Amino acid sequence: MIRAALFLLLTAGPAFAQSAGEAAQAAADALEAASVQLDKAESARDRVAALTETVRAYEDGLAAMRQGLRGAAIRETELSRKLAAQERDVAQLLGVLSALGGQAQPQTLLHPQGPLGTARSGMLVAAVTPGLADKAAALRADLEEVTALRNLQQNAADTLKNGLAGVQAARTDLSKAIADRTDLPRRFTEDPIRTEILIASTETLQGFASGLSQIAENEVPQNLPRIAALKGSLALPVRGVILRRAGERDAAGVARPGIVVATEAKALVTTPTAATIRYNGPLLDYGLVTILEPQADLLLVIAGLQEVYGSIGQVLPAGSPVGLMGGQTAAQGDILSPIGERGGAERSETLYIEMREGDTTVDPLTWFATDKG
C-alpha cells in the first residue's frame, strides 16, 4: 500500500513530491522490515517490538503522503488560478497561432506593398514566432502538470484509504499484543491502596513524584545502566514538533517546567530508553500520565495520553510503546485539503514531557535530540 503511494509521489514531478517520495520510500522499507520481523516473532516481546515498528512505519508513510498530496493540491490550485487569470491572453495566443498555421504561402506574394512588403512581413513573423512558440510551450507544460497532479490525487485516494485502515489495524494488534505480554521483568509490585492515598493527598506533580517510592512493595535494586552518556541524544517519545518550551506560558498564563509537543491524532508514544514504569494512570489535571524511571533519581513524565500501556513496576526495553495519543484520525478529505496543511490542523493533540533529576525539574531539551534552533 505504501509502496503504491511511493510510486505515485516519485512520478509526480515537482520537488515537494520528490522529497515526500524519499520519505515514503524509507517508510516502505521500514514497513517491509517490520513485516519480516513480525513473521519471525516467537515471543510476545518480539511481537510487540515488530508491531511497534509497523505502526511507526505506517505513521511515517502516511505523513509523507500527506505532505506530497497536499503539496499537489496546493500546486494544482495555483496553476488553475494562473491559467484562469491568463484566459484572455491564452485565447489571443491560440488565435494568432491558428492564423499563422493556416496561412497559405502563395498569398504572401500578394502583399499590397509588393515584394518588399512581403519580405518585411516575413521578417516580422519570423521574429514573433519564437516568442509565440515559447508561450505555447509554457502553456502546454502548465496544462500537463495540472493533469498529472489531478491524476496523482485521484490514484492515491484508495492507497491513502488503505493506509489509514492499515495503521488502525496495526494499533489494535499492538494493544492486544501488549495485553498478552507476560515476559517483562518486574522491579516491584504496586500497592494500590498506597497509590490511591498518594494521589488523593497530592496537589502537585512534584509532590507525587517525591512519594512514588512509597507505593512500591518487594522492590529489588535497579540494574539498568545509567544513561548520562546519552544526554542530548535521546529521541522524543513521540513524532511531533515542539509547541511550547520549558517555562513558556500557555494561553491561560500557566508556565510549566516541561515541554509541550504537538502530535497527530492517535500517534504512538514510546520510551526513548529502557526504563521502569513508576506510575501510569490519571493524575491531577494532566490527564493520563506515565512516569518512567530510566535510572535512579531520574524520572521522565509523559502526560496527555488517551491510552496507557504496561503495568506499574515493569521494566520496559528501549523503544517500547507506553501509550497512544487521543483525537480523531483525519478523514481522507481533510488530508487532501490545502487549508489543513497550511494551518497545521493535522497536529491536533499535545503531549507534555517533563524531566526530573532528583527533586529538581530540568529542561527536557537538554536530554532530547531536537532541532533546538
Side-chain angles (χ1 to χ4, degrees):
M1 290 180 286
I2 289 182
R3 285 193 177 279
L6 165 66
F7 175 78
L8 293 170
L9 292 169
L10 287 175
T11 56
F16 63 80
Q18 296 293 330
S19 174
E22 293 172 1
Q25 175 69 74
D29 292 342
L31 185 61
E32 184 173 345
S35 178
V36 173
Q37 184 181 355
L38 188 58
D39 290 339
K40 295 180 178 179
E42 296 181 355
S43 66
R45 183 184 300 189
D46 292 341
R47 184 169 175 79
V48 167
L51 285 169
T52 299
E53 293 303 317
T54 300
V55 172
R56 286 292 201 197
Y58 267 118
E59 288 180 347
D60 290 344
L62 289 171
M65 285 196 68
R66 289 184 181 98
Q67 177 188 351
L69 292 176
R70 283 183 175 153
I74 292 170
R75 178 61 176 163
E76 181 195 348
T77 300
E78 292 172 347
L79 286 173
S80 297
R81 289 175 179 172
K82 175 185 174 183
L83 292 171
Q86 295 177 336
E87 186 174 356
R88 187 164 65 177
D89 293 341
V90 169
Q92 292 176 348
L93 172 61
L94 293 176
V96 172
L97 290 175
S98 297
L100 288 176
Q103 191 170 1
Q105 291 298 325
Q107 294 177 354
T108 61
L109 299 176
L110 303 178
H111 196 281
Q113 296 182 9
L116 182 59
T118 299
R120 287 173 177 171
S121 176
M123 293 173 64
L124 287 173
V125 171
V128 171
T129 299
L132 294 175
D134 290 343
K135 288 185 178 180
L139 174 62
R140 186 182 302 111
D142 286 346
L143 289 172
E144 289 176 351
E145 186 176 351
V146 168
T147 300
L149 291 170
R150 286 177 180 171
N151 289 338
L152 167 67
Q153 295 173 77
Q154 291 170 359
N155 294 336
D158 288 341
T159 303
L160 184 59
K161 180 180 179 181
N162 291 336
L164 291 170
V167 70
Q168 183 56 43
R171 288 174 182 141
T172 301
D173 290 343
L174 177 60
S175 297
K176 185 177 185 305
I178 290 172
D180 294 340
R181 182 178 58 186
T182 59
D183 56 350
L184 287 179
R186 185 177 292 275
R187 266 188 66 199
F188 62 87
T189 304
E190 177 199 14
D191 184 329
I193 296 178
R194 289 182 179 177
T195 300
E196 290 299 325
I197 293 174
L198 179 61
I199 292 174
S201 62
T202 296
E203 297 181 356
T204 65
L205 180 58
Q206 178 179 358
F208 184 81
S210 299
L212 280 177
S213 60
Q214 302 172 11
I215 68 175
E217 290 186 340
N218 305 316
E219 184 164 2
V220 299
Q222 180 170 330
N223 57 6
L224 293 176
R226 299 189 65 82
I227 62 169
L230 301 177
K231 194 169 186 176
S233 64
L234 295 178
L236 283 171
V238 69
R239 303 280 203 275
V241 296
I242 305 299
L243 184 64
R244 198 157 46 249
R245 295 172 180 265
E248 293 183 350
R249 297 187 180 278
D250 59 19
V254 178
R256 288 176 169 168
I259 62 173
V260 176
V261 180
T263 79
E264 294 183 2
K266 304 299 182 184
L268 182 65
V269 182
T270 60
T271 173
T273 183
T276 302
I277 301 178
R278 273 292 174 182
Y279 175 78
N280 59 7
L283 182 63
L284 302 173
D285 61 343
Y286 290 89
L288 283 180
V289 174
T290 287
I291 300 180
L292 304 173
E293 186 181 44
Q295 66 181 35
D297 296 326
L298 179 65
L299 295 179
L300 168 59
V301 181
I302 301 173
L305 299 158
Q306 184 182 62
E307 185 175 353
V308 292
Y309 297 142
S311 302
I312 297 175
Q314 284 183 331
V315 181
L316 302 177
S320 296
V322 295
L324 284 177
M325 299 300 295
Q328 294 296 322
T329 303
Q332 182 173 304
D334 295 333
I335 292 175
L336 295 176
S337 168
I339 298 175
E341 169 70 12
R342 288 172 174 169
E346 73 280 3
R347 294 193 179 97
S348 59
E349 304 303 306
T350 55
L351 186 71
Y352 177 73
I353 301 173
E354 184 173 303
M355 295 290 292
R356 307 187 66 86
E357 296 179 4
D359 290 331
T360 305
T361 56
V362 298
D363 185 352
L365 294 185
T366 61
W367 279 92
F368 295 106
T370 65
D371 58 352
K372 297 180 177 67

